[in-house]
Amino acid sequence: LKELKIEPPGKITLARIINSAFSTWEQTVFENLIINLAPKSKIEIDSILQNNSIDITEGDSVLFRQLKADPGNLSLQTILDESAKLECIRKVNLSPELFKGLPFKLLKKYRDRVITEPAREIRRHPPKIRYALFAIFLYMRGREITDNLIELLILLVHNIETGSEKKVKNEIIEQITTVTNKEEILYKVACVSIEKRKDCVEDVIFPVFGGEQTIH
């Protein structure tokens, strides 16, 4: 406005103009999403929102509630549950190109909006808003669930590694404890190793241990 030598409006009027421009832009974004959203994707979205089982108290479909939920503690069931969520989202077949150029903060804002609404409220929105909002929600949740799965698998591998190491140590310790007079045996081995260093191990060391099995 300054470059055009136009007197700017007051703050209230300017805010109204900006909000109007943003609202128009938002409608354009939703319209573009709907135009490029495949009919099969819309059917899958409706299936998630309607679901066969509806929670009467919350007005939420069970499937939708599961998609909104955070992962539980590390377990095989948690990994299977997160994988099932991701598979459900992938069935909608949303191309990342649909959301290209949209700011991450804006996508997160729409995602948070869907998180706070039960399925029945989302179903009441006009199709243009309903499909656009839910497509954004699924896109964002797909990314989040993928990150959750990666973290769970890394933690699982770490636990397996720790558990395996502990198990091996316990087995070794258990075997060692079955051998009595260990200090005395090791002392004798040290002595004969020095005294008869040129002799065969089988002839010198094994007899001190009382046989090869004890060495193992």
Side-chain angles (χ1 to χ4, degrees), residues 142-160:
R143 293 172 51 151
E144 292 164 357
I145 292 169
T146 300
D147 288 344
N148 291 340
L149 270 171
I150 291 171
E151 290 180 7
L152 286 169
L153 289 172
I154 290 172
L155 187 58
L156 178 64
V157 170
H158 175 72
N159 285 0
I160 289 173

Side-chain angles (χ1 to χ4, degrees), residues 21-31 33 64 68 99 102-117 122 125 129-141 144:
F22 177 77
S23 179
T24 302
W25 176 84
E26 186 179 57
Q27 293 300 316
T28 303
V29 168
F30 286 179
E31 287 170 2
L33 279 174
F64 180 36
K68 291 193 290 185
F99 313 97
L102 295 178
F104 177 81
K105 285 185 178 181
L106 190 68
L107 292 174
K108 187 176 182 301
K109 169 191 167 185
Y110 292 139
R111 173 256 190 206
D112 293 344
R113 176 178 169 182
V114 174
I115 284 281
T116 59
E117 293 185 358
I122 297 174
H125 290 309
I129 297 176
R130 179 172 71 248
Y131 291 126
L133 281 177
F134 208 74
I136 292 171
F137 163 76
L138 292 177
Y139 170 69
M140 295 293 285
R141 282 301 287 152
E144 292 164 357

Side-chain angles (χ1 to χ4, degrees), residues 54-213:
I54 302 293
D55 189 312
I56 302 300
T57 58
E58 297 182 10
D60 228 349
S61 80
V62 171
L63 184 54
F64 180 36
R65 194 164 65 249
Q66 290 169 344
L67 288 175
K68 291 193 290 185
D70 292 327
N73 295 328
L74 175 63
S75 68
L76 175 59
Q77 190 57 52
T78 299
I79 292 175
L80 292 175
D81 289 344
E82 292 301 292
S83 299
K85 290 181 194 177
L86 192 58
E87 185 62 29
C88 174
I89 291 173
R90 286 179 173 173
K91 280 178 64 179
V92 183
N93 196 25
L94 297 170
S95 170
E97 293 297 317
L98 284 170
F99 313 97
K100 191 174 181 179
L102 295 178
F104 177 81
K105 285 185 178 181
L106 190 68
L107 292 174
K108 187 176 182 301
K109 169 191 167 185
Y110 292 139
R111 173 256 190 206
D112 293 344
R113 176 178 169 182
V114 174
I115 284 281
T116 59
E117 293 185 358
R120 67 159 177 258
E121 293 299 326
I122 297 174
R123 289 195 300 269
R124 289 175 181 172
H125 290 309
K128 180 172 67 175
I129 297 176
R130 179 172 71 248
Y131 291 126
L133 281 177
F134 208 74
I136 292 171
F137 163 76
L138 292 177
Y139 170 69
M140 295 293 285
R141 282 301 287 152
R143 293 172 51 151
E144 292 164 357
I145 292 169
T146 300
D147 288 344
N148 291 340
L149 270 171
I150 291 171
E151 290 180 7
L152 286 169
L153 289 172
I154 290 172
L155 187 58
L156 178 64
V157 170
H158 175 72
N159 285 0
I160 289 173
E161 184 180 299
T162 304
S164 300
E165 185 179 337
K166 185 177 180 181
K167 183 179 179 181
V168 170
K169 283 182 178 177
N170 289 340
E171 287 179 354
I172 291 173
I173 291 171
E174 184 179 347
Q175 290 175 14
I176 290 175
T177 54
T178 60
V179 181
T180 56
N181 300 323
K182 289 183 285 295
E183 292 82 1
E184 184 180 346
I185 292 173
L186 292 173
Y187 173 73
K188 290 180 179 179
V189 168
C191 290
V192 297
S193 297
I194 293 173
E195 292 171 5
K196 303 179 180 181
R197 61 172 67 93
K198 295 183 180 180
D199 292 353
C200 178
V201 171
E202 188 175 356
D203 297 334
V204 177
I205 304 298
F206 282 16
V208 176
F209 275 103
E212 186 176 349
Q213 184 59 38

